[in-house]
Amino acid sequence: MLYNPPHPAETKILTRRFGLPNSESLDTYLANDGYKAFLKATGMTSEQIVDEVKISNLRGRGGAGFPAGMKWSFVPRQSPKPKYIVVNADESEPGTCKDRVLMENDPHQLIEGVLIAGKVIDAHRGWIYIRGEYRYLIDIMDRAIDEAYKNGYLGRNIRGTGFDFELSTHTGAGAYECGEESALLESLEGKRGIPRIRPPFPAVSGAFQCPTILNNVETFCAVPSIILHGGQKFADVGVPKAGGTRLLCLSGHINTPGVYEIPLGFPMMRAINELGGGMLGGRKLKAVVPGGSSCPILKAEECDINMDYDSMAKAKTMLGSGGMVVLDETTDMVQFALRIMRFYQHESCGWCIPCREGTLWLRKLLTRLNQGIGTSDDISMVRELAGNMLGRTFCPLGDAAAMPTISIVEKFRDEFEARLARPASSRMPAPGDLVSIA
Amino acid sequence: MTFSQETEARFERLLSSYPEGRHRAALIPMLMYAQDEVGLVTQELKEEVARRCGVTPLQVDEVVGYYTMLRSKPMGKTHLQICTNISCLLRGGDKLWDQACHKLGIGHNEVTADGAVSLEEVECIGACSWAPAIQVNYDFRHNVTPDQLDKLMDQLRGAQ
């Protein structure tokens, strides 16, 4: 099983069953509070459940951080259309690997979270959209779903409560864009993953044009604890306006990378030094990508902050998806910026021109700069081009490509300049490596 | 066109998982599971899946052209995928990539002449905390060292 040994600095709520024998089985789940929250929820009104989620200050864990209780309250429950639940398990933001451990180690927690959301809006059908590369997790979720059906935790009249719910997995086929909620819904319907224009939002017109609750895996996984122990208890773990814990995926130049569950507001330097076991080889910290590759990067001297939504916003970056990538002094920032842009250019769905063209041109410019054959104007051009993409696309992919690029160019411009200043003999590319800018 | 019992059972379950009249929703999963059995998305497969999901072959083409994992060309018996995205890059994923290209003598999305191995430089596969990571078909390998990759490639080529 994929999990790291518990660290004393962790607060384990969502991951508390990790490491138990057969933690993925229904038996282990039931022996450890499993499905109690759902049974409690069947005795509550929809308003009561939504209120608990609102009190908990649970915010969406996929990246946007939208308050979950508020999102749920937008679903028009009086609509005559069927209502649906969709789980976003298309985890693909570079640096992020938390939904994976949640599904692998405790799949029933996710199913229970879905059932409670279903109870709130009187939905009777749901899908877990899992990225295609996670085939073994689709098998794990399928087995857990089968087990739940066999034991009456899914299907008709669940555990005699009169509530019906059907749940299945749905595989993606390799597209980062499908992690964006409206593109995911297009993909779920059997189409190319391109974003939908909003409004209407999925709460009103989501899967198959019906009212839908769509949240990230981790968001649903937090719900059983909130209902079982009360929203206030969850809220108390975090900071005002952002309740509970979140899974931090630590990677990069640290001694003990891993996925750790920490309260909102946890200090970033403690994450690096305690959870991460300090910098690899005792080298110096250079920068941190705080929450997946789309977040503006922080320089070492900016990292003395607490990881909650407001503190991160003040530092002009985001908590994002929890993918924290730590960079040491040896990191080549020009190469790093190029690798990020290669990713976004590959994953741009091509629907909006500023993103489709912008990522391509930025990739070309950054490739030239990385080879040391650009000019100083090219560096300014990268900044300007990326700036022109911001806020000009249907979905956040354009911003996701632009934000880290702007921050790297602004904060590490000297490295770009130094690359250009190398003697001509050392920067003459092989003819095959020449990239035409036209 | 018929498939194994297991795949047929999967298709049946798929087609009953979506609202009435919305069989098109089964399209992408059906293509993925069928491709696992056939090895690639052939013209015959496209037509079969189109028929089963109630869409036109053109609508299947639209989807095949969009999703990276759906392939119209045959891949090797083993498909070796190496992640070079940021977390893996910091841990030497780019060097693993160069090593594989050099040793196998092929590049991105190419197949060795004997058809044993195909190679793909992939985007983040969600193994960032266990980087550098690779996927061998659907299996994850974590914290991969150059030595381990070397042995793996020998094995894959020897398995012919």
Side-chain angles (χ1 to χ4, degrees):
Chain A
M1 291 304 245
L2 203 58
Y3 72 94
N4 29 282
H7 189 284
E10 281 185 276
T11 304
K12 294 181 84 68
I13 298 175
L14 277 69
T15 60
R16 70 187 183 281
R17 278 175 289 259
F18 288 19
L20 294 177
N22 304 317
S23 69
E24 79 288 4
S25 72
L26 180 63
D27 284 346
T28 304
Y29 192 62
L30 289 174
N32 294 276
D33 294 339
Y35 291 106
K36 278 191 192 157
F38 167 69
L39 293 174
K40 183 176 173 187
T42 56
M44 296 164 73
T45 64
S46 296
E47 287 75 18
Q48 283 170 330
I49 301 173
V50 170
D51 280 348
E52 285 303 327
V53 177
K54 281 184 177 167
I55 291 167
S56 78
N57 279 330
L58 172 67
R59 295 174 62 160
R61 301 296 195 231
F66 194 80
M70 201 187 292
K71 199 175 194 180
W72 292 14
S73 68
F74 292 157
V75 175
R77 294 208 299 273
Q78 70 290 356
S79 162
K81 290 180 174 179
K83 284 128 204 121
Y84 298 122
I85 308 294
V86 178
V87 181
N88 185 345
D90 191 56
E91 177 167 76
S92 353
E93 174 79 9
T96 316
C97 48
K98 64 189 173 65
D99 297 340
R100 208 180 140 191
V101 295
L102 284 167
M103 289 188 283
E104 178 169 340
N105 291 285
D106 202 353
H108 284 283
Q109 179 170 245
L110 175 58
I111 298 174
E112 187 173 11
V114 169
L115 283 175
I116 295 168
K119 176 72 182 49
V120 169
I121 59 166
D122 200 31
H124 303 288
R125 206 339 89 245
W127 296 274
I128 307 174
Y129 183 105
I130 305 180
R131 66 180 297 191
E133 292 84 350
Y134 285 180
R135 172 59 59 84
Y136 84 104
L137 288 173
I138 295 175
D139 295 339
I140 289 174
M141 283 310 312
D142 279 342
R143 278 199 296 275
I145 287 170
D146 282 345
E147 225 185 345
Y149 269 108
K150 270 189 203 114
N151 291 278
Y153 290 96
L154 278 173
R156 297 194 70 82
N157 188 18
I158 295 172
R159 303 300 288 181
T161 59
F163 182 68
D164 305 333
F165 200 86
E166 308 286 336
L167 181 64
S168 30
T169 57
H170 181 103
T171 177
Y176 167 76
E177 174 60 12
C178 293
E180 192 280 324
E181 60 178 15
S182 68
L184 185 150
L185 293 168
E186 286 289 295
S187 181
L188 180 69
E189 294 180 18
K191 303 174 206 160
R192 293 164 79 93
I194 53 173
R196 292 176 179 171
I197 191 161
R198 280 151 295 171
F201 288 94
V204 176
S205 179
F208 308 101
Q209 293 67 55
C210 293
T212 301
I213 285 181
L214 199 166
N215 279 117
N216 174 255
V217 170
E218 189 183 347
T219 315
F220 281 112
C221 286
V223 172
S225 297
I226 290 169
I227 297 306
L228 194 59
H229 305 293
Q232 192 57 48
K233 200 168 171 204
F234 190 78
D236 289 344
V237 176
V239 294
K241 286 197 279 177
T245 57
R246 66 174 307 169
L247 271 61
L248 182 74
C249 323
L250 267 176
S251 70
H253 295 140
I254 40 171
N255 284 309
T256 49
V259 180
Y260 301 94
E261 185 171 5
I262 49 167
L264 265 293
F266 196 88
M268 183 176 280
M269 287 314 294
R270 268 189 73 198
I272 296 173
N273 292 324
E274 292 177 33
L275 301 171
M279 299 300 293
L280 204 60
R283 289 192 293 269
K284 256 176 64 188
L285 176 68
K286 181 174 197 170
V288 170
V289 177
S293 63
S294 59
C295 300
I297 204 162
L298 293 173
K299 287 179 94 163
E301 57 268 31
E302 297 171 305
C303 292
D304 200 9
I305 52 172
N306 293 339
M307 291 188 284
D308 57 71
Y309 297 94
D310 291 346
S311 308
M312 299 301 268
K314 227 180 274 170
K316 296 196 169 61
T317 187
M318 310 179 297
L319 271 187
S321 58
M324 181 170 153
V325 189
V326 182
L327 284 62
D328 74 19
E329 54 188 333
T330 64
T331 313
D332 177 342
M333 297 311 292
V334 184
Q335 185 196 21
F336 197 75
L338 170 61
R339 187 62 190 85
I340 290 179
M341 193 49 65
R342 277 181 57 204
F343 169 71
Y344 287 107
Q345 191 259 318
H346 180 259
E347 299 298 338
S348 172
C349 77
W351 188 241
C352 313
I353 296 163
C355 174
R356 183 184 66 214
E357 294 297 313
T359 53
L360 182 67
W361 280 81
L362 284 169
R363 178 186 175 153
K364 287 180 177 179
L365 281 164
L366 288 166
T367 302
R368 287 210 331 179
L369 289 168
N370 189 43
Q371 291 169 334
I373 52 173
T375 67
S376 189
D377 284 348
D378 287 341
I379 308 173
S380 306
M381 175 89 84
V382 168
R383 169 67 186 82
E384 195 188 328
L385 236 170
N388 280 332
M389 286 164 68
L390 285 177
R392 293 194 168 89
T393 48
F394 277 104
C395 89
L397 199 146
D399 289 354
M403 288 185 298
T405 308
I406 292 171
S407 66
I408 295 174
V409 169
E410 284 184 348
K411 294 179 184 180
F412 297 96
R413 186 169 178 127
D414 53 331
E415 283 195 36
F416 287 79
E417 300 279 2
R419 184 68 51 96
L420 299 176
R422 287 194 310 207
S425 60
S426 76
R427 57 186 158 94
M428 211 41 207
D433 291 340
L434 272 175
V435 178
S436 163
I437 200 77
Chain B
M1 201 175 177
T2 52
F3 301 92
S4 69
Q5 257 185 340
E6 194 194 334
T7 305
E8 288 289 356
R10 218 160 194 171
F11 287 177
E12 202 178 312
R13 192 171 166 169
L14 262 176
L15 288 169
S16 66
S17 300
Y18 304 96
E20 219 23 63
R22 306 305 287 263
H23 281 173
R24 183 177 180 176
L27 177 60
I28 295 162
M30 203 181 269
L31 284 168
M32 284 285 280
Y33 295 127
Q35 176 180 269
D36 285 345
E37 194 166 310
V38 180
L40 73 158
V41 181
T42 59
Q43 191 54 38
E44 191 193 6
L45 180 69
K46 276 185 203 168
E47 284 163 18
E48 179 67 20
V49 170
R51 191 181 61 76
R52 291 187 188 217
C53 294
V55 299
T56 65
L58 183 67
Q59 287 170 319
V60 181
D61 275 333
E62 274 178 27
V63 161
V64 173
Y66 179 85
Y67 294 93
T68 318
M69 291 179 76
L70 296 173
R71 309 174 200 291
S72 305
K73 296 198 305 189
M75 302 309 277
K77 212 168 131 193
T78 305
H79 188 48
L80 186 60
Q81 300 141 86
I82 300 182
C83 177
T84 60
N85 210 308
I86 52 174
S87 296
C88 286
L89 172 74
L90 296 179
R91 289 283 185 151
D94 56 331
K95 293 184 184 73
L96 294 181
W97 170 250
D98 289 341
Q99 180 192 343
C101 289
H102 183 76
K103 178 151 179 150
L104 297 171
I106 52 174
H108 178 62
N109 273 342
E110 290 178 354
V111 193
T112 53
D114 59 1
V117 191
S118 50
L119 195 57
E120 184 179 0
E121 182 183 14
V122 287
E123 296 299 350
C124 185
I125 49 174
C128 318
S129 292
W130 311 279
I134 64 173
Q135 263 190 303
V136 184
N137 297 331
Y138 283 117
D139 293 335
F140 280 88
R141 305 281 167 93
H142 297 131
N143 304 309
V144 178
T145 64
D147 226 33
Q148 286 169 341
L149 180 63
D150 210 57
K151 285 202 184 94
L152 173 72
M153 287 189 289
D154 282 339
Q155 241 174 39
L156 296 179
R157 289 198 300 191
Q160 271 297 289

